[in-house]
Amino acid sequence: MIFCYCPNFQIPYVDSLLENKISEQIEIKNQPRRTCAIASYPKGSHEVLGKVAHLAQIEDNKAAKVISWHLGSDMDCVVTLTTAAARRIFDETQGRQQVLPLDSIYKKNLPDWNRPLPHLQNGRNCFDPVGNPVFARDLLTFPEHQESCRTVFGLLLRDTIIVDNLDAANHYRKEIVKIAYCPTLLTREGDRILSNGKFGGFQNKAPAMDQLRGMVFGAPLPQYYYNLSKQIELIQQYRTAVVRLNKANEELEAREQSLNSPKEQKKKKELAEIERNLKSIEKKIGMTPTDRCRKSPLQPEVLDMNDSPIPPKRPRREILKICTAQKNGSHLLSQRDGSKPQLTSEINGSSGKKKT
């Protein structure tokens, strides 16, 4: 989306564009799509996540049908975070509602969601698979509670793999068992090969979609819906920025007009007149502008260290040496003449005694 900035006409154009995007998003949301017909369990607490059928969505219709059938009665199970919440639901329904508390799961046995398919060993294919194999869990999307949902479906689906048809599933299993354990295989046509290799029969064939009686995962909204959400958010941010810019321009224009008003012009003339009078007075008294700034109260006075009553260190040491020499000389003279020593200080009236 490219906008040409024109403040006078920008807001109506942005509003029109925003309205069109919101209408398109609502239309996409109201389009018919696959939904789960299982009645939701009233949560009433943050410890209740909901039923398994409501925790995930699958976009592909064929994959949704076979995975929903494969899970069977687990679709109606209520998932809770704690055993206490599960026990409370059990008591409320008199034991008729099956529950699954997540705090009772041994999580070390759960599959690694980043693990590659079994035909990939050390980053390369051990054989060329057919039928587009993929982990069934990778086809799920979780609207919320992502980490808890990974635990739930890691427990229920394990490493179940889905391929296109029964021939592709048999080929895949035949090659996998040569190098590793083969998990349960599902096909988009509705067939199932159990992890022990058994397939065929009524119990290993998914019925038609309408025979599942709504016990099927719902379909997520198309990706275009979420793209529209991002576009709407950006357009709203753009509109807010344009409104602020227009407001700032209006304030700037009003300020400029106030500066050019007759009142402001009169103040400018008065200021210019005062400056002319000041220069005239300075000229009459022989004062220049530099004289006014020569002694500023903001500039600190520089002290003359020569006027200090305390002499620097080196002269004081020399004075002490002279005084000591005079004292020694006087002492010698007193011993010779038998008179008391007298020391006269002639330097700033300082005492002859050495300070410690």
Side-chain angles (χ1 to χ4, degrees):
M1 294 176 296
I2 299 176
F3 300 110
C4 296
Y5 174 70
C6 183
N8 296 329
F9 304 100
Q10 195 73 1
I11 295 299
Y13 173 73
V14 172
D15 289 340
S16 176
L17 180 61
L18 186 61
E19 183 179 355
N20 292 337
K21 294 293 184 182
I22 293 176
S23 299
E24 187 178 3
Q25 188 183 42
I26 293 175
E27 183 180 355
I28 293 175
K29 187 176 182 179
N30 293 334
Q31 288 179 353
R33 66 180 187 277
R34 179 177 10 94
T35 58
C36 180
I38 300 177
S40 60
Y41 189 85
K43 296 183 179 180
S45 172
H46 68 279
E47 295 182 345
V48 180
L49 302 183
K51 292 185 177 181
V52 171
H54 300 142
L55 297 180
Q57 296 174 335
I58 302 177
E59 183 176 3
D60 182 61
N61 288 329
K62 293 182 178 180
K65 182 190 75 170
V66 69
I67 294 175
S68 301
W69 164 77
H70 174 66
L71 291 178
S73 60
D74 290 335
M75 296 282 285
D76 190 54
C77 180
V78 176
V79 180
T80 64
L81 296 178
T82 63
T83 303
R87 179 67 187 186
R88 184 170 60 252
I89 295 174
F90 178 85
D91 294 337
E92 291 174 356
T93 60
Q94 298 178 358
R96 291 189 298 268
Q97 176 63 57
Q98 55 178 340
V99 290
L100 174 62
L102 296 184
D103 62 352
S104 65
I105 295 176
Y106 185 64
K107 297 183 178 181
K108 289 187 177 181
N109 286 341
L110 296 177
D112 182 6
W113 283 64
N114 297 321
R115 182 191 305 170
L117 289 164
H119 70 273
L120 293 171
Q121 300 288 335
N122 299 324
R124 63 183 183 86
N125 290 336
C126 297
F127 62 93
D128 293 329
V130 294
N132 302 311
V134 62
F135 283 122
R137 61 174 180 259
D138 291 338
L139 300 177
L140 306 175
T141 57
F142 308 122
E144 55 184 356
H145 310 300
Q146 282 81 6
E147 291 300 323
S148 297
C149 289
R150 282 175 172 260
T151 302
V152 172
F153 290 98
L155 175 68
L156 299 178
L157 289 175
R158 297 290 179 177
D159 290 327
T160 299
I161 298 173
I162 184 169
V163 295
D164 289 342
N165 49 55
L166 186 59
D167 292 336
N170 280 319
H171 174 267
Y172 193 85
R173 177 176 176 81
K174 183 179 177 180
E175 296 296 330
I176 284 296
V177 294
K178 296 178 181 178
I179 57 175
Y181 165 80
C182 183
T184 298
L185 302 177
L186 302 176
T187 72
R188 293 179 175 86
E189 294 180 351
D191 298 292
R192 176 172 60 188
I193 302 179
L194 297 175
S195 59
N196 57 14
K198 184 174 62 175
F199 66 94
F202 179 76
Q203 65 273 21
N204 289 318
K205 181 67 175 181
M209 181 74 77
D210 55 357
Q211 295 181 10
L212 293 177
R213 295 175 298 177
M215 295 184 62
V216 62
F217 288 106
L221 291 166
Q223 184 60 38
Y224 184 60
Y225 176 88
Y226 299 102
N227 294 340
L228 284 174
S229 298
K230 294 180 180 179
Q231 293 178 11
I232 290 172
E233 183 180 358
L234 292 175
I235 294 173
Q236 290 174 340
Q237 293 177 3
Y238 181 81
R239 186 187 187 282
T240 302
V242 171
V243 170
R244 293 177 61 185
L245 178 61
N246 290 343
K247 184 178 179 180
N249 287 333
E250 291 175 358
E251 293 177 354
L252 178 61
E253 185 177 356
R255 180 61 178 169
E256 291 177 351
Q257 290 178 357
S258 65
L259 292 176
N260 295 326
S261 64
K263 185 177 180 180
E264 292 294 331
Q265 294 296 329
K266 183 179 179 181
K267 289 183 178 180
K268 289 181 181 179
K269 290 180 180 180
E270 292 177 355
L271 179 61
E273 183 66 24
I274 292 172
E275 289 181 351
R276 285 195 298 268
N277 292 337
L278 180 61
K279 290 180 181 180
S280 176
I281 295 172
E282 289 176 350
K283 186 176 181 181
K284 289 180 181 180
I285 63 177
M287 182 179 178
T288 62
T290 55
D291 293 334
R292 282 186 293 154
C293 301
R294 183 170 300 170
K295 291 184 179 181
S296 173
L298 299 178
Q299 295 178 352
E301 295 183 0
V302 180
L303 297 178
D304 188 4
M305 297 303 297
N306 295 327
D307 297 337
S308 176
I310 301 176
K313 270 188 177 181
R314 189 177 298 276
R316 279 189 291 170
R317 291 176 181 174
E318 293 177 356
I319 292 172
L320 290 175
K321 289 180 181 180
I322 294 173
C323 293
T324 304
Q326 291 179 353
K327 182 177 180 180
N328 293 336
S330 300
H331 182 68
L332 291 175
L333 289 175
S334 63
Q335 288 181 350
R336 183 181 302 174
D337 301 336
S339 62
K340 294 182 179 180
Q342 294 181 353
L343 180 62
T344 304
S345 176
E346 298 178 356
I347 304 175
N348 294 331
S350 60
S351 174
K353 296 182 180 180
K354 185 177 180 179
K355 297 181 180 180
T356 57

